[in-house]
Amino acid sequence: EIVLAQSPGTLSLSPGERATLSCRASQSVTISYLAWYQQKPGQAPRLLIFGASRRATGIPDRFRVSGSGTDFTLTIARLEPEDSAVYFCQQFADSVTFGQGTKVEVK
Amino acid sequence: QVQLQESGPGLVKPSETLSLTCGISGGLIGTFYWNWIRQSPEKGLEWVGYIYKDGSAKYNPSLKSRVTISIDTSKSKFTLSLSSVTAADTAVYYCARGVPTGEDAFDIWGQGAKVTVSS
């Protein structure tokens, strides 16, 4: 099983700043087999990006992913208060597994 | 606009079978993969499995011996059965649609059904 470790646990930033979220895989994964989700309290996860650069409907280009091998990054530019949420990475190269999440606080 | 809605008992006794149904509205079953995903504080997000319109299914290896997912295309719904449940199966269960391009990413989710395993 591919284990995904996300860091940091919590990120506290101000509006307008950039967030950098890390997702490290226990073995090499092609970025094409990664996805990222946003989850707000009491809601289901929402797909942001999958397959390296394919954004889900309505997701602005402030959200970008990068990386290779075992290290991947979700970057959120120009943070807005509504970006406050927990963000999860997911791999589907070998079955499906999720990271444990990074909480982003924007205030 | 496709919407998914989970339904089923919120409380299941240990050793019994958990059964949940996901109703699909606003769209066709089509050529999508239909998934179950659960979330608990202890295990986080955990993919349970998926089913395709032809009835073919794939399950999480860690749950495979206890999971069955079935589909009723005429009623636009699919069902999760998880046998021999324990407290570790307590979670919010989501049904979700696989993305149109066929990858195992999930673009539409239900609101979730909280299931507690307790006597």
Side-chain angles (χ1 to χ4, degrees):
Chain A
E1 173 181 294
I2 297 177
V3 177
L4 301 177
Q6 293 187 243
S7 61
T10 301
L11 205 49
S12 296
L13 295 165
S14 299
E17 291 190 310
R18 173 185 300 176
T20 303
L21 287 66
S22 173
C23 176
R24 175 164 289 176
S26 59
Q27 56 188 272
S28 184
V29 176
T30 302
I31 195 170
S32 299
Y33 294 101
L34 278 186
W36 289 83
Y37 298 83
Q38 176 194 69
Q39 186 177 32
K40 296 183 178 181
Q43 297 183 16
R46 175 193 185 193
L47 178 64
L48 295 174
I49 297 175
F50 69 102
S53 59
R54 283 179 283 181
R55 289 185 190 83
T57 303
I59 304 302
D61 64 3
R62 298 188 296 110
F63 293 84
R64 298 202 171 196
V65 298
S66 60
S68 63
T70 60
D71 293 314
F72 302 93
T73 299
L74 171 68
T75 301
I76 311 171
R78 303 181 299 282
L79 281 167
E80 301 177 0
E82 53 263 35
D83 296 330
S84 295
V86 179
Y87 292 82
F88 296 94
C89 57
Q90 176 224 332
Q91 67 80 24
F92 46 93
D94 178 16
S95 189
V96 173
T97 55
F98 293 86
Q100 83 279 15
T102 289
K103 182 177 183 179
V104 174
E105 299 175 329
V106 184
K107 53 185 177 182
Chain B
Q1 173 109 1
V2 175
Q3 292 186 313
L4 305 179
Q5 178 68 59
E6 304 89 351
S7 61
L11 181 64
V12 182
K13 290 183 169 55
S15 80
E16 295 190 344
T17 295
L18 177 161
S19 184
L20 292 171
T21 296
C22 181
I24 305 165
S25 60
L28 301 175
I29 282 185
T31 55
F32 300 100
Y33 289 87
W34 300 96
N35 297 262
W36 287 100
I37 297 159
R38 68 183 185 178
Q39 185 175 30
S40 65
E42 294 77 22
K43 297 182 182 179
L45 286 163
E46 183 176 29
W47 175 72
V48 176
Y50 71 57
I51 192 158
Y52 191 63
K53 63 177 181 176
D54 63 359
S56 58
K58 182 177 179 182
Y59 304 126
N60 185 320
S62 68
L63 299 170
K64 189 175 182 179
S65 63
R66 299 193 292 127
V67 174
T68 301
I69 300 176
S70 59
I71 193 165
D72 186 336
T73 56
S74 66
K75 295 183 179 179
S76 293
K77 65 178 184 179
F78 59 107
T79 300
L80 167 69
S81 293
L82 180 65
S83 64
S84 305
V85 297
T86 69
D89 296 309
T90 294
V92 176
Y93 285 76
Y94 295 100
C95 55
R97 189 185 80 170
V99 295
T101 44
E103 291 97 333
D104 290 329
F106 315 111
D107 63 348
I108 297 176
W109 296 61
Q111 65 184 22
K114 182 171 173 58
V115 178
T116 301
V117 178
S118 175
S119 56

